[in-house]
Amino acid sequence: AQKVTQTQTSISVMEKTTVTMDCVYETRDSSYFLFWYKQTASGEIVFLIRQDSYKKENATEGHYSLNFQKPKSSIGLIITATQIEDSAVYFCAMTPASSSFSKLVFGQGTSLSVVP
Amino acid sequence: GPKVLQIPSHQIIDMGQMVTLNCDPVSNHLYFYWYKQILGQQMEFLVNFYNGKVMEKSKLFKDQFSVERPDGSYFTLKIQPTALEDSAVYFCASSSRDNANTEVFFGKGTRLTVV
């Protein structure tokens, strides 16, 4: 069974700085997908970025990028030039590539507060 | 972007009663999911549903739970009877394809409070 762990409960950063959120995972699958979602104050869950385990290049999407360290089973999310509206709870998730259907396993979430 | 709508946003129900949570998935999506999030914890997979059938369910999907999507209308999660431990936020999600790397779109959740 898969397991996803986010040890940072909450982070507070100054606006326009860079923040990294940690995530480690456990899986016996050789191929899998890793995702980051954010949950806004209104409850909306928004997909941010994805990393395919067989790709060595770190995924990037706008001001989001990933630090994928496969030997460490680690997939950190990096947000550059943070904005107030980036304040949210960020969830790391994974699913095995062999799965016929999405069956996301989520971490506990990291609450990010971006202050002026 | 595509939206998954969940109705209602909050429901309070007496223990032992039946509750139905409604989800209006993205219009051209064919794969549907329910996730459960207890306050302060991570979201956990409950069930996925395709072509009128439950394809996979977790151990959280108790016998008191059922899902259906009659005639392409709402995708529903029914709990009968409800128990106190069913209090949580239930998220509906949908996707367009049957592979694990497809983006899944989530609703805003229905907060269920069983009293």
Side-chain angles (χ1 to χ4, degrees):
Chain A
Q2 294 89 30
K3 184 178 179 181
V4 176
T5 303
Q6 296 175 252
T7 56
Q8 300 158 303
T9 304
S10 63
I11 302 174
S12 181
V13 300
M14 299 286 288
E15 192 180 10
K16 300 178 185 177
T17 61
T18 295
V19 63
T20 298
M21 282 175 269
D22 302 328
C23 175
V24 293
Y25 57 89
E26 297 174 24
T27 183
R28 293 182 179 178
D29 295 283
S30 57
S31 186
Y32 45 89
F33 303 108
L34 300 160
F35 305 85
W36 279 90
Y37 287 83
K38 81 173 189 181
Q39 186 173 25
T40 65
S42 68
E44 186 178 10
I45 297 172
V46 180
F47 164 77
L48 297 177
I49 190 168
R50 182 185 106 204
Q51 179 78 38
D52 299 347
S53 64
Y54 51 85
K55 291 186 179 179
K56 293 185 178 179
E57 306 80 30
N58 289 321
T60 62
E61 191 70 48
H63 76 143
Y64 303 108
S65 61
L66 297 177
N67 179 17
F68 180 41
Q69 299 183 56
K70 194 170 182 179
K72 296 183 179 180
S73 297
S74 171
I75 184 74
L77 174 68
I78 303 166
I79 307 177
T80 57
T82 52
Q83 304 163 11
I84 302 296
E85 50 267 35
D86 290 325
S87 296
V89 179
Y90 288 79
F91 289 97
C92 177
M94 72 177 303
T95 193
S98 59
S99 176
S100 296
F101 297 89
S102 176
K103 183 183 169 185
L104 294 164
V105 176
F106 285 88
Q108 300 89 332
T110 297
S111 178
L112 174 66
S113 179
V114 181
V115 298
Chain B
K3 297 288 186 185
V4 174
L5 301 176
Q6 290 189 243
I7 304 163
S9 58
H10 192 181
Q11 184 144 8
I12 302 173
I13 195 156
D14 292 328
M15 183 178 64
Q17 297 298 305
M18 181 193 74
V19 68
T20 300
L21 308 183
N22 296 302
C23 171
D24 187 8
V26 178
S27 61
N28 62 341
H29 285 185
L30 300 174
Y31 304 89
F32 313 114
Y33 315 86
W34 284 102
Y35 285 79
K36 176 182 179 180
Q37 184 182 36
I38 294 173
L39 186 63
Q41 299 183 21
Q42 67 263 53
M43 280 185 288
E44 294 186 271
F45 170 81
L46 281 177
V47 65
N48 54 27
F49 187 86
Y50 167 71
N51 197 26
K53 299 176 187 175
V54 170
M55 303 307 296
E56 192 172 2
K57 58 186 179 181
S58 73
K59 62 181 185 298
L60 296 178
F61 193 79
K62 304 182 298 183
D63 291 343
Q64 297 90 327
F65 289 24
S66 63
V67 291
E68 63 176 355
R69 193 184 187 213
D71 301 324
S73 60
Y74 286 143
F75 174 53
T76 62
L77 173 65
K78 183 186 293 184
I79 308 174
Q80 181 178 25
T82 50
L84 294 176
E85 59 265 29
D86 296 331
S87 295
V89 180
Y90 291 84
F91 290 93
C92 174
S94 68
S95 64
S96 60
R97 295 194 299 270
D98 64 344
N99 51 61
N101 67 351
T102 302
E103 183 178 345
V104 176
F105 293 86
F106 286 85
K108 291 189 177 184
T110 294
R111 181 177 298 279
L112 176 66
T113 302
V114 181
V115 298

